[in-house]
Amino acid sequence: MKLSGQVAIVTGAGRGIGKSIALKLAGDGAMVVVNDLDATEAEATVSQITHAGGVASSFAGNIAHDDFGDEIVQFSVQTFGSLDIIVNNAGYTWDAVVQKTTDEQWYAMIDCHLTAPFRLLRAAYPILKEAHQHDQSEGRRRHRKIVNVSSVAGMFGNPGQASYSSAKAGVMGLTKTLAREWGRINVNVNCVAFGLISTRLTADVRDGETVQIGDANIKIGVKSDLISRMEQDIPFKRMGTTEEAAGAVYVFCIPETNYVTGETLLCSGGLLAP
């Protein structure tokens, strides 16, 4: 197992892409801290991992809260003794054309998709630096991995998603900067930009599913005719699965990519723009 003995944080891992990432990393030996806004969903992912023989622990909480980054980093170290992999995956969409986007919507997307990863990584830096210094004292080289999640919307823009697209573009800038700053402590910082992946965020909006974020009850999903048009622009003529999405993240976590940093991998089935 390539990730045996390593400790990974995966945010938004109660369902969808995050859950598949947590299962993938745990299946290759990582001890996983499973975060989700919904404690029940987080525990369900942990249960699935442990029933398969893996090791995991849940940490429920809203990534956008000011102290979340510090708290989950401390929990990871206290629970498993180290920190080796961070996957900043959690997120949701709150769409509107720009002239109808409120300040609340704008900051909700920026806080969730950009500020929260920044705070988590800032909190993790002392742990990662200390681990690197310990490696040096023992005469060994070891790489630790950060994988941030972006979107084709951040690369190309998408109508109705000014705030989301801006935040996801910012994630790529954060990735490139930290790759340059953290190479000296042997931390690889990369990014995966997803296209159309089959989750509840890309289900038919007419199903009426919502997410409760604080006091806001937000409708999620996409119009089925828009999904159909986008699928026609994908060479495979279908959405990706969460397992396929997790595979793209996994690539950046294994030793084979120890000399890859500051990159954004487009996982979209060939879809170049929404």
Side-chain angles (χ1 to χ4, degrees):
M1 292 188 176
K2 295 180 179 180
L3 304 180
S4 180
Q6 297 189 42
V7 177
I9 291 174
V10 183
T11 64
R15 64 180 84 201
I17 294 172
K19 180 175 184 177
S20 290
I21 293 169
L23 293 172
K24 181 73 172 177
L25 300 185
D28 206 22
M31 297 172 280
V32 183
V33 176
V34 176
N35 159 259
D36 201 85
L37 188 62
D38 187 328
T40 301
E41 296 293 340
E43 288 290 351
T45 300
V46 168
S47 179
Q48 190 169 340
I49 289 171
T50 56
H51 285 168
V55 179
S57 185
S58 67
F59 185 89
N62 187 339
I63 63 168
H65 286 173
D66 292 353
D67 296 329
F68 173 85
D70 294 311
E71 291 172 353
I72 195 170
V73 167
Q74 292 171 11
F75 176 84
S76 302
V77 174
Q78 291 169 1
T79 303
F80 294 124
S82 65
L83 181 56
D84 304 281
I85 298 168
I86 299 173
V87 182
N88 282 305
N89 164 78
Y92 64 102
T93 54
W94 193 358
D95 296 348
V97 291
V98 68
Q99 66 270 24
K100 294 183 179 180
T101 299
T102 65
D103 283 1
E104 181 186 11
Q105 286 174 284
W106 173 265
Y107 285 113
M109 293 293 93
I110 299 298
D111 289 348
C112 174
H113 295 282
L114 184 55
T115 305
F118 156 72
R119 286 175 173 160
L120 199 165
L121 296 175
R122 181 178 62 184
Y125 176 75
I127 305 301
L128 300 173
K129 180 181 179 182
E130 182 180 357
H132 171 67
Q133 291 172 337
H134 180 70
D135 289 341
Q136 284 186 312
S137 70
E138 296 289 328
R140 64 173 177 263
R141 174 183 291 165
R142 183 174 177 183
H143 286 254
R144 290 168 180 85
K145 305 298 182 79
I146 309 299
V147 186
N148 297 318
V149 171
S150 185
S151 166
V152 292
M155 299 185 80
F156 306 116
N158 196 31
Q161 292 189 325
S163 53
Y164 177 78
S165 299
S166 297
K168 287 304 190 182
V171 166
M172 289 184 281
L174 178 65
T175 297
K176 290 182 178 297
T177 297
L178 291 191
R180 295 176 68 88
E181 291 185 1
W182 288 8
R184 61 189 176 84
I185 59 170
N186 276 357
V187 175
N188 301 65
V189 188
N190 289 294
C191 182
V192 176
F194 291 123
L196 198 59
I197 307 295
S198 181
T199 69
R200 61 180 181 155
L201 296 181
T202 55
D204 192 334
V205 69
R206 291 175 298 185
D207 293 343
E209 188 166 359
T210 60
V211 293
Q212 188 71 35
I213 308 292
D215 296 329
N217 190 36
I218 301 163
K219 182 182 291 187
I220 57 175
V222 182
K223 292 181 179 180
S224 58
D225 59 337
L226 177 59
I227 291 291
S228 297
R229 290 199 302 271
M230 291 176 69
E231 285 180 326
Q232 292 308 304
D233 290 331
I234 297 171
F236 299 127
K237 306 302 181 185
R238 64 172 177 85
M239 287 194 278
T241 68
T242 59
E243 291 78 14
E244 289 168 329
V249 171
Y250 171 77
V251 165
F252 282 136
C253 296
I254 56 177
E256 283 82 349
T257 52
N258 280 355
Y259 203 61
V260 179
T261 195
E263 299 295 338
T264 295
L265 172 64
L266 183 58
C267 177
S268 69
L271 177 68
L272 297 180

